[in-house]
Amino acid sequence: MTVPVLTIDGPSGAGKGTVSRAVAKKLGWNYLDSGSIYRSLAIAALKQHVDLENEVGIVDIALAMTLEFDCGDELVVKLNGEDITAQLGLESTGNAAAIIAAFPEVRRVLLQKQKDFKLLPGLVADGRDMGTVVFPDAEYKVFLTASAVERAKRRYKQLIEKGNDANLAQITNEIEERDRRDMERKTAPLAMANDALYIDSSDMTLDAVIEEVVNLIR
Ligand code: DC
């Protein structure tokens, strides 16, 4: 039986995670947060004091690491048996992930780990290259974006609400830098698949985005 796949790609901070989780829940499908795989690898490299620019060293870690995902209401991730959930969402982790994600061999090694999530009754896969590289044959594809300024404002609000210090100008710069890294890398850059539905969420509510995505499938 073929497993239906919905891919949701887009730049960092566009709301892919929230939308993907909500849609997966509504449909009762499995959920792949592919960014968390790159983030976990970055955490492993930092723990082992391997230089993020050392491609061979990063590939060795990727080959050796074991990851366990518990996709309940909150995603819990274990790296080599250790719960790394708390470090997963840090800005520094995302920035480190964007550096190691540029290596073609790293992407190749992580490919199968992502494909393994394709299980019945269906999969919602969130990332940068889900519709272009990992699941090019997916039946449903979305490219979800928002302006850099809007994405920075949302991130700023999230951080402040969690009681963290945050600086809007710095976050905007980091988002623009991450966009540049994701779009300019040679292997599997962030790009919209030809057959994807384009959604700019800058002026949309979360519920409106979720509804538009669910309507694509129903
Ligand atoms: O979606 P995220 O912010 O968790 O992703 C963190 C970084 O991981 C992102 O800046 C680039 C990399 N990434 C990737 O290269 N390909 C993916 N499919 C998902 C994430």
Side-chain angles (χ1 to χ4, degrees):
M1 206 172 150
T2 56
V3 179
V5 176
L6 161 68
T7 59
I8 304 190
D9 289 307
S12 89
K16 298 185 306 285
T18 314
V19 171
S20 302
R21 264 191 299 274
V23 173
K25 202 168 177 188
K26 267 184 197 264
L27 298 171
W29 288 7
N30 299 294
Y31 169 53
L32 164 61
D33 171 359
S34 63
S36 70
I37 296 183
Y38 290 93
R39 285 171 182 263
S40 300
L41 177 56
I43 292 170
L46 294 170
K47 277 187 188 298
Q48 294 176 41
H49 305 289
V50 171
D51 187 343
L52 297 176
E53 303 285 353
N54 172 359
E55 180 169 11
V56 174
I58 303 288
V59 167
D60 282 346
I61 296 176
L63 287 169
M65 73 176 178
T66 62
L67 288 178
E68 292 162 69
F69 289 85
D70 182 353
C71 305
D73 279 345
E74 295 278 324
L75 179 72
V76 174
V77 179
K78 285 187 182 165
L79 164 71
N80 302 326
E82 183 192 344
D83 188 339
I84 55 160
T85 311
Q87 298 148 66
L88 218 54
L90 299 177
E91 295 298 298
S92 54
T93 303
N95 293 333
I99 296 174
I100 55 144
F103 296 129
E105 191 58 18
V106 168
R107 304 196 71 86
R108 204 185 59 74
V109 169
L110 297 182
L111 202 57
Q112 193 57 45
K113 281 191 201 298
Q114 297 171 75
K115 288 182 191 273
D116 289 345
F117 279 77
K118 186 176 164 184
L119 297 169
L120 284 170
L123 175 67
V124 180
D126 140 17
R128 305 290 188 288
D129 60 343
M130 299 294 99
T132 50
V133 176
V134 183
F135 303 108
D137 301 329
E139 223 170 318
Y140 312 103
K141 297 183 185 179
V142 168
F143 190 83
L144 180 61
T145 188
S147 69
V149 170
E150 183 58 32
R151 286 183 280 133
K153 278 192 200 154
R154 291 178 192 169
R155 185 70 190 136
Y156 175 80
K157 199 165 155 249
Q158 269 175 2
L159 288 167
I160 295 292
E161 277 170 7
K162 282 188 192 158
N164 295 302
D165 274 345
N167 175 313
L168 186 58
Q170 188 191 341
I171 294 173
T172 310
N173 282 339
E174 283 181 4
I175 283 195
E176 283 168 350
E177 169 66 15
R178 185 103 72 85
D179 283 359
R180 198 186 55 70
R181 274 187 195 279
D182 289 351
M183 288 189 289
E184 290 181 2
R185 68 167 175 248
K186 292 209 173 62
T187 309
L190 168 64
M192 182 168 123
N194 294 332
D195 48 352
L197 170 71
Y198 180 87
I199 302 178
D200 182 337
S201 73
S202 302
D203 298 315
M204 289 171 80
T205 63
L206 186 61
D207 285 345
V209 177
I210 293 168
E211 195 182 322
E212 191 165 340
V213 176
V214 170
N215 283 343
L216 175 71
I217 290 167
R218 290 208 173 127

